[in-house]
Amino acid sequence: MMARQSGRRYGFRNVAAIGVACYVTRGLSSLRPWCAVHRDSANRGIPVEGKAATWVPWVALAALTALAAVLRVIGLNSGLWLDEILTLIETVRRPIWTILTSFPGETQHMLFSLLARISVVMLGEHPWSLRLPAMLFGVAAVPALYFFARELTSQREALLGAGLMAVSYHGVWFSQDARGYTGMLFCTILCSMFLLRGLRNPAWSNWLWYAITAALGAYTHLTMVFVVASHAVICAWLLLIQPKKGDFKVSDWKRPAAGVALAGLFTLLLYSPILLQVHQIFSKPSHLVGVSTPVWAFWEALRGLRIGFGAGAGVVVAGIFFAVGLWSYWRRSGVAAAVLVLPGMFTAAGTVLARGTMYPRFYFYLLGFGILILVRGAMRLGATAADVVSGTTDGEQRTRRELAWGTALTAVILVLSAVSLLRNYQYPKQDFGSAMQFVEQQREPNEPVVTAGKIGYVYQEYYGQPWPQVQTPGDLDGVRKQGHDVWLLYMFPMYLDHDAPALMSEIRRDCPTTKVFKGTLGGGDVFVCKMQPDGKEVGSDLPTDRVVLPADR
């Protein structure tokens, strides 16, 4: 049943996404009754709101969390993509004890696999039940970001950040991905929150919770190790320098040291049944060294940001907001700025040194931090614009105007992000089901169907199709000699260029593209082509500069 999902189009989703944009914009007006009328010197001139009625932020946060849940449920049952299928077949379908004691490869995200197994056993095997743990972590990240933000900034900015997380294109996309990335996002936010609380209030409980959330994050995805390493460097830095007055500080070095040490110990205990397997896999360079390069990852990240902000111009504007926001955080607290950006720097260095490859998905856990910096930049630029336009010197009126302008700029970002969800709901991540149905409907009974690359695994192991997989030009020529037109399905052309260049060259030369089935996964389109039996060269519809590697595996 699950294997026969065909990547249906859900027209009502488009209406829902447009409605969300209107809902969010209107909801922002509810912030006005409790906006600030004073300036906080610790914020370096940034306007902040006064104390709100106790129920207002909780109602707003509950509404945003509910909105996040709705947006992540829509389309949760669409067709699976390659890595989800690998996770299902190689891990989730196995007994829990096998999951806990085996590490088949990079697709194994331990905590997610365990939770997904429980979900599938209890609810049956469906795309939505497989993705349910990722969806729940993605929803939980919204209130988690609010509580983390309250350690750094105002209530208004914290709620705006939670709102942007709720409607974030990438937040929704990964919440509907049967992988552990939203789990790591959630754990990173909580872990960083306990770090800041521990630096402000060195209670042992803060550092114990820090260790627990850090270990669970590492058990979800090993790049969490770089987050903890960056935190250790920040704590060591605070021991060597005198922090600004009112900034975070280390009052007792033994407590953060114990927190980091316990995080490492708990992680080792969790991985102890598979420690040697993990070492064997990650001690070898990736076979995609030279393909999944940092340069490629950078351009793919920009492509993904362009989708999230609707256009290239949106990325440029967001970059300006980000730069202003980061500078504002740095002026107020060097520790806060380091907590927000240093983990990404450690991840970049660590992933390249460890296996020589890089993927944009490795940085998804920084989504919440990026959102907070973006919101701060919008609020700061809004305040500056309000001062320039109005010229008001009265403190209360000036602050109200600055907050209104900053909130309006943030609202624009929220609307752009909500509208970008249309694309997420329009297509599945990879449309294997529709491609399969198309071939079965179009081919004659005597026309063979073959696959090239990893798509063969998908159709044989998941969809149960007897379609053979060709690996060399000789394999393909053998099928063509049968005297009938040959249907061929493939994906990720650049992977085929790397793994089987001669085969990919023949496909481009002799197999014109019949139809392309689009997906939201970067470079994840499914290609269907039809090849003549006599091997006569024909023009290909596939330009060589069209293909890219997947951005969000």
Side-chain angles (χ1 to χ4, degrees):
M1 176 181 177
M2 183 176 178
R4 292 287 175 179
Q5 293 293 325
S6 60
R8 299 173 180 172
R9 305 292 186 262
Y10 296 84
F12 75 91
R13 299 176 188 170
N14 297 346
V15 178
I18 295 173
V20 165
C22 299
Y23 171 84
V24 172
T25 304
R26 183 175 181 180
L28 289 170
S29 63
S30 65
L31 298 174
R32 183 164 182 167
W34 48 276
C35 67
V37 294
H38 73 278
R39 288 179 176 268
D40 184 357
S41 60
N43 279 318
R44 310 264 179 188
I46 298 170
V48 295
E49 70 277 357
K51 186 176 181 180
T54 55
W55 59 269
V56 172
W58 300 114
V59 171
L61 184 60
L64 291 173
T65 305
L67 174 64
V70 171
L71 294 178
R72 286 152 178 78
V73 167
I74 299 173
L76 190 63
N77 203 43
S78 63
L80 303 179
W81 75 283
L82 174 63
D83 275 13
E84 293 179 300
I85 292 171
L86 289 171
T87 298
L88 173 67
I89 295 174
E90 296 183 359
T91 304
V92 176
R93 284 179 176 173
R94 301 180 184 277
I96 287 181
W97 178 251
T98 304
I99 294 174
L100 294 174
T101 56
S102 63
F103 195 83
E106 295 180 27
T107 57
Q108 171 69 304
H109 297 174
M110 296 297 297
L111 181 59
F112 172 82
S113 297
L114 178 62
L115 296 176
R117 174 61 183 174
I118 295 172
S119 176
V120 167
V121 169
M122 294 180 63
L123 303 172
E125 187 179 297
H126 313 280
W128 68 267
S129 59
L130 179 66
R131 292 165 169 162
L132 185 61
M135 189 275 284
L136 294 176
F137 276 126
V139 173
V142 172
L145 183 63
Y146 170 82
F147 291 116
F148 168 75
R150 290 300 287 128
E151 300 295 324
L152 297 174
T153 189
S154 67
Q155 198 168 66
R156 175 180 292 260
E157 288 190 21
L159 279 173
L160 289 172
L164 189 51
M165 174 72 87
V167 302
S168 163
Y169 173 88
H170 295 93
V172 173
W173 197 98
F174 278 97
S175 295
Q176 298 176 340
D177 182 21
R179 314 288 285 115
Y181 297 112
T182 53
M184 185 181 171
L185 168 69
F186 176 73
C187 290
T188 298
I189 293 172
L190 287 187
C191 167
S192 302
M193 180 187 73
F194 287 118
L195 170 72
L196 295 178
R197 288 183 178 180
L199 294 176
R200 198 184 299 278
N201 175 22
W204 280 109
S205 59
N206 286 326
W207 293 107
L208 177 60
W209 281 112
Y210 172 86
I212 292 172
T213 53
L216 289 176
Y219 198 53
T220 303
H221 200 281
L222 278 170
T223 50
M224 186 73 185
V225 172
F226 303 127
V227 178
V228 177
S230 70
H231 291 170
V233 169
I234 291 171
C235 292
W237 171 40
L238 289 175
L239 289 172
L240 298 176
I241 68 167
Q242 183 66 31
K244 300 175 184 177
K245 184 178 180 180
D247 202 354
F248 299 95
K249 63 181 180 180
V250 174
S251 56
D252 181 2
W253 67 269
K254 294 187 292 295
R255 302 197 179 200
V260 172
L262 283 174
L265 176 61
F266 293 161
T267 300
L268 286 174
L269 290 174
L270 289 170
Y271 275 100
S272 57
I274 56 171
L275 203 57
L276 292 178
Q277 299 175 52
V278 173
H279 178 265
Q280 289 175 357
I281 289 175
F282 287 101
S283 62
K284 301 175 183 178
S286 171
H287 74 284
L288 291 175
V289 172
V291 180
S292 304
T293 63
V295 173
W296 167 82
F298 173 78
W299 290 110
E300 276 297 282
L302 286 182
R303 184 197 61 81
L305 290 173
R306 188 169 63 251
I307 294 173
F309 290 108
V315 177
V316 174
V317 173
I320 296 173
F321 285 13
F322 186 90
V324 173
L326 184 58
W327 174 248
S328 177
Y329 269 113
W330 174 258
R331 289 185 61 202
R332 180 185 177 189
S333 168
V335 176
V339 169
L340 296 175
V341 301
L342 201 59
M345 298 171 64
F346 272 61
T347 301
T351 53
V352 172
L353 293 174
R355 302 207 71 198
T357 56
M358 185 179 294
Y359 297 94
R361 66 182 184 271
F362 289 167
Y363 302 92
F364 170 73
Y365 73 90
L366 297 170
L367 177 65
F369 299 164
I371 284 174
L372 293 182
I373 295 173
L374 201 64
V375 170
R376 169 61 64 84
M379 296 298 293
R380 194 70 196 94
L381 286 172
T384 301
D387 290 344
V388 171
V389 172
S390 67
T392 304
T393 58
D394 177 72
E396 179 176 338
Q397 184 179 356
R398 178 186 177 189
T399 301
R400 288 184 182 276
R401 188 180 297 273
E402 289 176 348
L403 284 169
W405 280 61
T407 303
L409 282 180
T410 308
V412 173
I413 302 173
L414 282 163
V415 171
L416 289 175
S417 185
V419 172
S420 71
L421 290 174
L422 293 171
R423 182 178 185 273
N424 183 67
Y425 298 144
Q426 185 178 5
Y427 302 106
K429 288 177 169 55
Q430 285 189 286
D431 205 353
F432 297 120
S434 295
M436 178 181 66
Q437 290 182 358
F438 173 79
V439 171
E440 289 179 331
Q441 292 170 0
Q442 296 296 319
R443 76 183 184 97
E444 298 295 333
N446 57 356
E447 293 177 346
V449 182
V450 298
T451 62
K454 291 185 177 180
I455 199 171
Y457 177 91
V458 172
Y459 283 120
Q460 289 178 0
E461 301 297 329
Y462 183 61
Y463 287 94
Q465 290 286 0
W467 299 340
Q469 181 177 352
V470 294
Q471 299 180 351
T472 66
D475 295 339
L476 186 56
D477 292 341
V479 179
R480 298 175 70 182
K481 289 179 182 179
Q482 296 176 11
H484 303 287
D485 287 348
V486 179
W487 291 85
L488 185 145
L489 297 92
Y490 65 98
M491 61 182 180
F492 303 147
M494 190 172 284
Y495 276 157
L496 283 173
D497 278 327
H498 178 266
D499 297 335
L503 175 62
M504 191 63 217
S505 178
E506 181 170 343
I507 292 173
R508 283 199 176 97
R509 185 185 69 241
D510 295 343
C511 197
T513 301
T514 302
K515 191 168 183 178
V516 178
F517 292 86
K518 295 183 178 298
T520 59
L521 179 73
D525 295 348
V526 177
F527 296 87
V528 177
C529 66
K530 190 175 182 181
M531 184 176 290
Q532 296 179 359
D534 58 4
K536 181 176 65 176
E537 293 187 6
V538 294
S540 174
D541 294 334
L542 179 65
T544 58
D545 58 351
R546 165 65 179 83
V547 295
V548 292
L549 280 174
D552 301 308
R553 286 185 63 191

